[in-house]
Amino acid sequence: MKPSSSDVAFSPAVKQVQGERGSRAAYARMERAGGFETEVTESLRAFLAQVDTGFLATASAEGQPYVQHRGGLRGFIQALDEHTLGFVDFVGNRQFVSTGNLSENDRVCLFLIDYAHQRRVKVWGAARVVPATDALLSRFTPTEPRARPEQIILITVSAWDVNCPKHIPQKLDASEVAQALQRLEKRIAELEAENRDLKATL
């Protein structure tokens, strides 16, 4: 029997625990139906267009894990084709932990959260680091002026899945809150002016 795409997350040990805790039957049905998505779909592209932050999990050859935050303007993670995601890796603190891990172990998991709408997506795949050429950079969302591209990380997607929204705290972007407050303050000013006019009339 062909392995399910969800085997990327559901190892034999995981399946054993699922069996012990009572969830194996439900996930077995999901596996028979095809498992996780394996290609970049329009729904994933739409989700990526709204994402401005993500977490990339890598591990060394010995299995030591590391999680790195990466962010940018909305849509900074691009779907380059049906099997490839990529993002520009900017100059940072120059520890190069993720880059070093990828040089000896290309397996990754990309964890993405949309706090405003309480959605999260997990992407598994194999990643590689490539030079930030002008041709490649032109395929990505414009970056903040002060951000300096150092390299580009490309991820060949093995599988991806949408998590349930439970326990995701709802958080709003500071700029969106500021815009909402501006609209509210403008409306308050209009109502106060209207109230003053009414008082003057009376």
Side-chain angles (χ1 to χ4, degrees):
M1 182 177 176
K2 181 181 178 182
S4 170
S5 58
S6 56
D7 282 356
V8 69
F10 299 159
S11 66
V14 171
K15 291 179 181 180
Q16 179 177 336
V17 175
Q18 290 173 348
E20 294 168 353
R21 306 277 178 102
S23 61
R24 176 90 287 265
Y27 287 116
R29 287 194 296 273
M30 182 267 289
E31 290 164 1
R32 289 193 294 271
F36 296 160
E37 294 278 2
T38 57
E39 293 186 351
V40 176
T41 64
E42 287 305 314
S43 64
L44 180 57
R45 288 177 184 270
F47 181 83
L48 293 175
Q50 299 302 313
V51 169
D52 61 4
T53 190
F55 302 89
L56 181 70
T58 62
S60 66
E62 291 77 25
Q64 177 62 46
Y66 181 72
V67 177
Q68 182 178 50
H69 168 264
R70 276 294 174 258
L73 301 178
R74 293 185 187 277
F76 80 100
I77 300 174
Q78 293 279 325
L80 302 181
D81 57 46
E82 293 181 349
H83 300 282
T84 310
L85 304 182
F87 62 89
V88 180
D89 199 21
F90 301 110
V91 174
N93 59 18
R94 304 186 69 80
Q95 290 184 349
F96 300 117
V97 179
S98 295
T99 301
N101 285 347
L102 291 176
S103 72
E104 58 184 11
N105 180 356
D106 66 356
R107 287 183 291 179
V108 298
C109 184
L110 184 63
F111 200 92
L112 308 171
I113 306 178
D114 175 359
Y115 289 102
H117 302 94
Q118 296 173 295
R119 299 179 297 178
R120 55 186 170 183
V121 168
K122 299 175 293 188
V123 181
W124 290 268
R128 65 189 188 278
V129 177
V130 300
T133 64
D134 290 340
L136 261 180
L137 286 172
S138 68
R139 302 188 64 179
F140 292 93
T141 300
T143 60
E144 299 174 5
R146 291 182 296 177
R148 289 189 295 136
E150 182 162 53
Q151 56 195 13
I152 292 174
I153 294 182
L154 300 179
I155 301 172
T156 301
V157 177
S158 300
W160 65 274
D161 184 43
V162 180
N163 261 115
C164 71
K166 288 183 180 179
H167 312 302
I168 300 177
Q170 189 169 37
K171 300 179 182 182
L172 301 177
D173 188 82
S175 63
E176 293 176 348
V177 173
Q179 291 173 7
L181 287 174
Q182 286 179 350
R183 291 193 297 269
L184 181 61
E185 290 169 352
K186 179 182 178 182
R187 182 56 180 156
I188 290 173
E190 291 171 348
L191 291 173
E192 287 178 339
E194 183 179 333
N195 191 42
R196 285 193 300 270
D197 291 341
L198 289 172
K199 284 183 176 180
T201 301
L202 293 174

